[in-house]
Amino acid sequence: MSHSKQLTTVCGLLLAAVFFLIGTPALAQSTAPATPVTTQPPPVTTDFILLLDARQTMAANTNTSGNPYERLQIAVAAANTAVQAIPVGTNLGIVILQDNVRTLRPLSPLRPTDRQHVQTVLSKLTATGHSPMHLAIQHLRDHVLLSHSKSNVFLLLMSDGNDTSFSRTLTETGTLKNKTASMRSVMLATYVSDDSLDKLQKMAQAIHPDDNAHHVLHHGDLPTGLLPLQLACDAIDDHRLELLASTGSALSDSRRLVGRLQNQLATLQQVEANRDQLRRQLDAITQAEATQRTAATRLSNRISTLEAQKAQADKAVVDLKAARQADQLAALKLQADLDVARSALTTSRADLQKAVSERDALHGKVVADVEAKRGLESDLKAAQVQANLLTQQLNTEQELKKLKEERKAGNKQGPNNNADEQTKAILSAINSNPFGQLFEYFWAQLLGVLGVVGTGGYFGWKNLLSKVREIDSNVDTKLSNQEQARHERVNSLAGQLQAIHEILQQRPARLSDPGSRFGNGDDGISQPQALAVSEKLSEITAELRVIGRQIGASTISGTAKRGPSLADLKLVNGIGSVTARELVAAGIENLAQLSAASDDELRNVPENLARVQKWREEAGWIVAIAKATGSSREDAKKAFYGLADSHKDALDVLNWRKPEDVAVIVKLLSDQA
């Protein structure tokens, strides 16, 4: 058995030596007789890099007489010629310098199909940009050659030598040779100037002392300029041929060695054939031993399982005993807690019975207090009603006194000399009503609202309605629909007054009665009814006051005043004739009053409050612009709305009430002009 293993090992070593010799031709050739070496041949190039200058200056011609070629055109022709010469399989990289540095092709093996593609891309290049040359050299060092430190690199640079920072470019060029195992170059100058050739010559020698620069001004110069590159390509081809030759010699030696190994293998196969029977017997013995070991392992595992189960059973018994002891202790503690709870329950039951008794006693006291409170609340409401009515009576007396004084002053100036007598007659008629104190207050308010000074003596409820309607006949302008609605509302309120008057005549009441009902017996008016009548009369009075102010009548018998001009209010976008009349009725007659109106005053206008507030804002800006610029409000309106279209954001954050903000708007208007 050991002899067989030795033969197998020897055979494997021989085969490994054969394949090693086949895969390493240089080692196979090392057995040849040594020849004296006189010179060290240059390293074979592994990577080619083309750096093409395509900046703006390359758009000029080469300045050669009779051959006005564009510099970029000659550079592209040189690049295409170089790509055709580089052997397939060699790494090729192309970098372009224009307005920036870009890698047109990273270093990678050249395939036959790549040549046409490179030629197509290079033909589309245009001269543009002014980037310095040292940026391209830095790009080669830091990016293109980053992972090629063991490569033999050949650099082909095509440029017109135009460089404003040549000293830095020369320094950067000297650092390239430290990034690779070896580096050679050739520089092609596409400009006839000797200065450009000198610069490129210095860059070439910074890479290797034997490298040079050449003028390439027309197509005829390409073979001479590209000769160093062609020599490098030929060296690659020669190296490949040498490798093929050495590989053929090593292959012949390997074949003879393989023949000897085949004979040895035949002998080994015969020895192995003789030992097959022994190997099969050994396998049977090994299998039987394995079966016995498996059975022993199973038995051992079964014993271990039973021992573990016994240990678990013993632990369970110990845990059961401990649990029984814990249950006994818990039962004793539970019994003690139960006894304590029973004692506490007995005590709580006694406390609860005591609390129930105290609650019943307290409930009786609360019921008595509630009854007393209800009586006090009833007395308080009666006192409040009486106080409110007495306050109204006091206000009525003050209004009557003021009215008499106004009418007295009016009689001295006009033809209504019997106003006091008429007022006395009215008050006398009012006081004859059993509920006269309330009506005295109402009539005083109504007379103050409408400015009633009659010439026909006493007039009652129907006469009041006829006098109110006389306002329509005295207005010399055509009423709008809204004004007609207001007059119809006056007629409706007069009808409500008539109905209240008839109810009070049928069920009289006295304010002086402090009881739960006013008047005599069950025919009087109750406190809630009296309060409702008082509130209704106050509402009617307030509404008539507003309507009277909107109508603007100075006297019932005189001619109604004409409203102010609406043109000023209509300067604000959204305010028409109807809306302007509503503003005038609310006491707002011009833009200045609209801009100064408060929110409470704006609520008297029957329009959406937010909309009226927007009108107030626009009116304020028109008035402020007119005042600041000395222009008319028409011109101020045009300027404001023109500014609102172009500078809406500015108007949203500025306030027309602030002079400094108005100055900003005036400045914007001035700039626009």
Side-chain angles (χ1 to χ4, degrees):
M1 189 69 182
S2 60
H3 182 66
S4 176
K5 290 183 179 180
Q6 291 177 355
L7 289 176
T8 304
T9 302
V10 170
C11 184
L13 291 174
L14 291 174
L15 288 175
V18 170
F19 289 118
F20 178 75
L21 291 174
I22 294 174
T24 312
L27 184 62
Q29 287 183 346
S30 64
T31 59
T35 58
V37 177
T38 58
T39 59
Q40 181 67 27
V44 178
T45 302
T46 58
D47 300 337
F48 285 89
I49 299 177
L50 306 185
L51 176 54
L52 181 59
D53 183 359
R55 294 177 293 177
Q56 185 65 44
T57 58
M58 294 290 285
N61 59 38
T62 60
N63 286 357
T64 57
S65 59
N67 295 303
Y69 291 106
E70 183 181 307
R71 301 174 190 177
L72 182 59
Q73 180 182 359
I74 294 298
V76 170
N80 287 329
T81 303
V83 171
Q84 296 296 326
I86 295 173
V88 174
T90 307
N91 289 335
L92 172 63
I94 303 177
V95 177
I96 306 298
L97 176 62
Q98 291 176 319
D99 53 355
N100 57 10
V101 183
R102 61 190 178 96
T103 302
L104 185 64
R105 172 190 169 91
L107 273 174
S108 58
L110 179 65
R111 298 173 299 179
T113 57
D114 292 343
R115 290 171 172 168
Q116 183 62 36
H117 174 71
V118 171
Q119 184 177 0
T120 301
V121 174
L122 291 178
S123 65
K124 297 180 181 179
L125 286 179
T126 57
T128 180
H130 302 279
S131 297
M133 178 62 72
H134 69 83
L135 293 180
I137 302 300
Q138 289 177 354
H139 184 76
L140 290 179
R141 182 190 64 199
D142 299 336
H143 297 283
V144 179
L145 298 176
L146 184 61
S147 58
H148 295 266
S149 60
K150 297 182 179 180
S151 301
N152 300 321
V153 180
F154 191 97
L155 173 63
L156 174 61
L157 171 63
M158 294 150 285
S159 174
D160 59 0
N162 190 349
D163 191 0
T164 57
S165 58
F166 177 71
S167 60
R168 184 171 180 181
T169 302
L170 188 60
T171 302
E172 296 291 344
T173 304
T175 63
L176 290 178
K177 57 187 178 182
N178 299 327
K179 300 294 292 185
T180 62
S182 66
M183 189 170 189
R184 297 299 297 270
S185 67
V186 62
M187 308 291 176
L188 302 182
T190 61
Y191 182 46
V192 74
S193 170
D194 292 336
D195 180 64
S196 66
L197 182 64
D198 183 61
K199 289 181 180 179
L200 295 178
Q201 177 70 20
K202 292 179 180 179
M203 291 176 63
Q205 292 182 352
I207 294 176
H208 195 278
D210 297 335
D211 293 345
N212 295 299
H214 304 276
H215 267 132
V216 180
L217 305 179
H218 50 77
H219 292 278
D221 295 336
L222 293 179
T224 302
L226 294 174
L227 180 59
L229 183 140
Q230 184 63 50
L231 293 176
C233 295
D234 293 343
I236 294 175
D237 293 337
D238 294 342
H239 179 67
R240 290 180 177 178
L241 291 175
E242 292 176 358
L243 289 178
L244 288 175
S246 62
T247 302
S249 176
L251 184 60
S252 177
D253 295 339
S254 299
R255 286 175 179 173
R256 288 192 296 271
L257 182 60
V258 168
R260 290 194 298 269
L261 291 175
Q262 287 177 347
N263 294 331
Q264 294 178 1
L265 286 175
T267 302
L268 292 174
Q269 289 175 355
Q270 183 64 36
V271 173
E272 290 295 329
N274 295 331
R275 300 182 182 276
D276 284 342
Q277 185 176 0
L278 294 176
R279 189 178 292 112
R280 287 193 293 270
Q281 294 176 358
L282 180 61
D283 291 341
I285 294 171
T286 303
Q287 184 176 2
E289 292 178 351
T291 303
Q292 293 177 357
R293 284 196 297 269
T294 302
T297 301
R298 291 178 180 176
L299 180 60
S300 177
N301 293 337
R302 180 60 178 167
I303 293 173
S304 299
T305 302
L306 292 176
E307 290 177 349
Q309 292 177 353
K310 180 178 180 300
Q312 292 177 356
D314 294 340
K315 186 176 181 299
V317 171
V318 173
D319 293 340
L320 180 59
K321 292 180 179 179
R324 287 178 179 177
Q325 293 177 356
D327 290 342
Q328 292 175 356
L329 293 175
L332 294 175
K333 184 177 180 182
L334 180 62
Q335 184 64 37
D337 293 340
L338 182 60
D339 294 339
V340 173
R342 287 175 179 173
S343 176
L345 179 61
T346 303
T347 304
S348 299
R349 187 176 297 167
D351 294 340
L352 180 61
Q353 291 176 353
K354 182 179 179 181
V356 169
S357 301
E358 293 176 353
R359 185 202 62 183
D360 294 339
L362 182 60
H363 178 70
K365 184 178 180 181
V366 169
V367 171
D369 292 342
V370 169
E371 294 296 332
K373 180 181 177 183
R374 289 177 179 173
L376 292 175
E377 289 178 349
S378 177
D379 296 340
L380 179 59
K381 289 182 180 179
Q384 288 177 347
V385 171
Q386 188 172 3
N388 290 337
L389 295 177
L390 290 176
T391 301
Q392 292 177 357
Q393 181 178 2
L394 179 60
N395 293 337
T396 301
E397 292 175 357
Q398 293 176 353
E399 293 288 341
L400 286 175
K401 183 177 179 182
K402 181 179 179 181
L403 179 64
K404 290 175 182 179
E405 292 175 354
E406 292 176 355
R407 296 298 174 263
K408 184 176 181 181
N411 289 335
K412 292 179 181 181
Q413 300 175 2
N416 297 326
N417 298 325
N418 58 348
D420 290 338
E421 288 76 4
Q422 296 170 9
T423 302
K424 291 178 182 179
I426 292 171
L427 296 176
S428 176
I430 292 173
N431 288 329
S432 65
N433 189 282
F435 203 39
Q437 291 175 337
L438 282 176
F439 282 99
E440 181 179 1
Y441 170 72
F442 170 73
W443 280 110
Q445 297 294 326
L446 183 61
L447 292 175
V449 170
L450 300 179
V452 177
V453 179
T455 58
Y458 166 74
F459 53 90
W461 293 92
K462 294 182 179 180
N463 198 16
L464 170 64
L465 181 59
S466 64
K467 292 299 181 181
V468 172
R469 289 176 176 170
E470 288 179 9
I471 296 174
D472 293 339
S473 62
N474 291 330
V475 177
D476 58 358
T477 58
K478 185 178 180 180
L479 297 178
S480 64
N481 293 335
Q482 192 167 7
E483 291 170 339
Q484 184 65 36
R486 283 200 293 265
H487 291 304
E488 292 176 357
R489 181 58 179 164
V490 170
N491 295 339
S492 175
L493 295 175
Q496 295 180 25
L497 292 174
Q498 177 68 31
I500 294 173
H501 173 63
E502 293 175 356
I503 292 173
L504 294 177
Q505 284 183 335
Q506 295 174 2
R507 304 182 70 180
R510 296 291 184 185
L511 293 175
S512 59
D513 188 353
S516 63
R517 301 183 70 84
F518 296 102
N520 301 323
D522 294 334
D523 294 332
I525 297 177
S526 64
Q527 287 181 353
Q529 290 174 339
L531 288 173
V533 170
S534 175
E535 292 176 358
K536 186 63 177 177
L537 290 175
S538 298
E539 293 175 2
I540 295 174
T541 301
E543 188 170 357
L544 285 174
R545 185 184 298 277
V546 174
I547 294 175
R549 189 164 59 246
Q550 292 175 350
I551 294 174
S554 60
T555 61
I556 291 180
S557 60
T559 300
K561 295 188 297 183
R562 290 179 178 270
S565 175
L566 306 180
D568 193 42
L569 291 171
K570 291 167 67 176
L571 290 175
V572 177
N573 286 350
I575 297 181
S577 300
V578 176
T579 309
R581 291 192 187 98
E582 293 175 350
L583 291 170
V584 171
I588 301 173
E589 300 182 354
N590 51 52
L591 290 182
Q593 292 181 2
L594 176 57
S595 64
S598 63
D599 289 345
D600 291 337
E601 292 174 330
L602 295 182
R603 289 188 178 91
N604 293 328
V605 181
E607 293 286 346
N608 180 268
L609 179 59
R611 188 181 182 191
V612 182
Q613 289 173 337
K614 181 175 180 295
W615 292 342
R616 177 179 62 185
E617 185 77 13
E618 296 178 1
W621 277 116
I622 294 174
V623 173
I625 293 173
K627 182 178 179 181
T629 59
S631 59
S632 65
R633 291 187 178 176
E634 284 284 351
D635 294 337
K637 169 194 174 180
K638 296 177 182 179
F640 167 71
Y641 285 112
L643 197 64
D645 294 335
S646 59
H647 294 78
K648 183 178 182 302
D649 295 338
L651 290 174
D652 289 341
V653 299
L654 298 178
N655 189 343
W656 60 269
R657 293 187 176 89
K658 297 181 179 180
E660 59 270 20
D661 291 356
V662 176
V664 173
I665 295 303
V666 173
K667 179 67 169 56
L668 290 175
L669 292 173
S670 176
D671 294 341
Q672 284 188 346

